[in-house]
């Protein structure tokens, strides 16, 4: 048979001794540092996972806070817009009422001024008519009373009118 398939007893013993020596050396010098490195690696992985979980929780908390702040900002914006609209409407209504009041006051003042001007114009027309009447009467009297006979006739006519009344 082939020596590779069925090993020799001496070869088997030497291989076992070599294996035990390597195992002893590895356990004495390499096993502890390898295990320490593996434990350290495991701890760093656990630490990284814990930090990732903590970061995830913080992100969820920040996201919730962000949503809450956004909702509060929306509510505040709506409130401010509503107040601004109400204020603008009240200002417009106030201005409209004041303009109407001012317009009515101006109309009343204009009516009064027109009434005063009308009265002044009527008075002026009456005075002018009276002055014109007096001037016309004076001119007529001057023309009629230029001679003495006309004067006597005028006095007679006034006397007759006075007796009839």
């Amino acid at each position: 048979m082939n020596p590779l398939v069925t090993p020799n007893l001496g070869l088997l013993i030497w291989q076992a001794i070599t294996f035990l020596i390597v195992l002893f050396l590895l356990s004495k010098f390499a096993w502890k540092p390898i295990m320490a490195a593996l434990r350290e690696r495991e701890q760093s992985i656990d630490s990284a996972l814990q930090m990732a979980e903590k970061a995830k929780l913080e992100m969820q908390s920040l996201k919730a806070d962000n949503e809450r702040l956004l909702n509060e900002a929306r509510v505040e914006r709506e409130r401010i817009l509503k107040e601004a609209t109400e204020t603008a409407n009240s200002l417009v209504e106030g201005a409209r009422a004041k303009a109407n009041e001012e317009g009515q006051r101006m109309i009343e003042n204009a009516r009064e001024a027109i009434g005063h001007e009308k009265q002044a114009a009527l008075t002026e027309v009456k005075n002018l008519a009276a002055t014109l009447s007096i001037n016309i009467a004076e001119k007529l009297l001057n023309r009629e009373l230029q001679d003495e006979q006309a004067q006597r006739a005028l006095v007679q006519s006034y006397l007759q009118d006075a007796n009839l009344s």
Side-chain angles (χ1 to χ4, degrees):
M1 284 216 148
N2 192 352
L4 291 176
V5 177
T6 57
N8 195 347
L9 184 64
L11 180 64
L12 212 55
I13 291 175
W14 280 110
Q15 282 181 343
I17 291 174
T18 307
F19 176 74
L20 290 175
I21 291 173
V22 169
L23 184 64
F24 173 75
L25 288 175
L26 282 177
S27 68
K28 193 71 170 165
F29 297 108
W31 193 260
K32 287 181 183 176
I34 290 173
M35 290 306 288
L38 285 175
R39 267 189 245 108
E40 184 180 322
R41 179 72 179 147
E42 184 179 349
Q43 287 174 353
S44 69
I45 290 172
D46 284 343
S47 172
L49 286 174
Q50 287 175 355
M51 288 174 57
E53 187 66 30
K54 189 185 291 185
K56 181 181 174 184
L57 291 174
E58 285 180 19
M59 288 299 291
Q60 288 175 347
S61 172
L62 288 175
K63 185 178 177 183
D65 288 345
N66 213 12
E67 286 294 323
R68 182 183 52 80
L69 288 174
L70 282 173
N71 287 335
E72 287 176 4
R74 284 185 190 113
V75 168
E76 184 70 15
R77 182 192 69 197
E78 292 298 323
R79 184 187 61 78
I80 289 171
L81 285 175
K82 184 178 178 183
E83 285 178 5
T85 303
E86 289 173 356
T87 302
N89 288 340
S90 68
L91 287 175
V92 167
E93 287 300 318
R96 184 176 291 139
K98 188 174 181 181
N100 285 339
E101 183 180 305
E102 185 70 21
Q104 290 298 326
R105 188 184 60 78
M106 290 176 73
I107 289 171
E108 286 300 317
N109 287 344
R111 283 183 183 157
E112 287 179 18
I114 289 170
H116 292 310
E117 290 295 323
K118 182 179 175 183
Q119 286 296 339
L122 285 174
T123 304
E124 188 177 333
V125 167
K126 286 179 183 177
N127 288 340
L128 185 59
T131 304
L132 282 174
S133 296
I134 291 172
N135 285 340
I136 292 171
E138 184 181 340
K139 286 183 182 183
L140 284 173
L141 286 175
N142 281 339
R143 187 179 292 158
E144 287 185 15
L145 298 178
Q146 284 178 354
D147 64 3
E148 193 175 313
Q149 202 174 22
Q151 288 178 3
R152 283 180 200 255
L154 183 62
V155 169
Q156 284 295 326
S157 97
Y158 281 144
L159 287 175
Q160 284 176 356
D161 286 342
N163 287 336
L164 296 176
S165 308

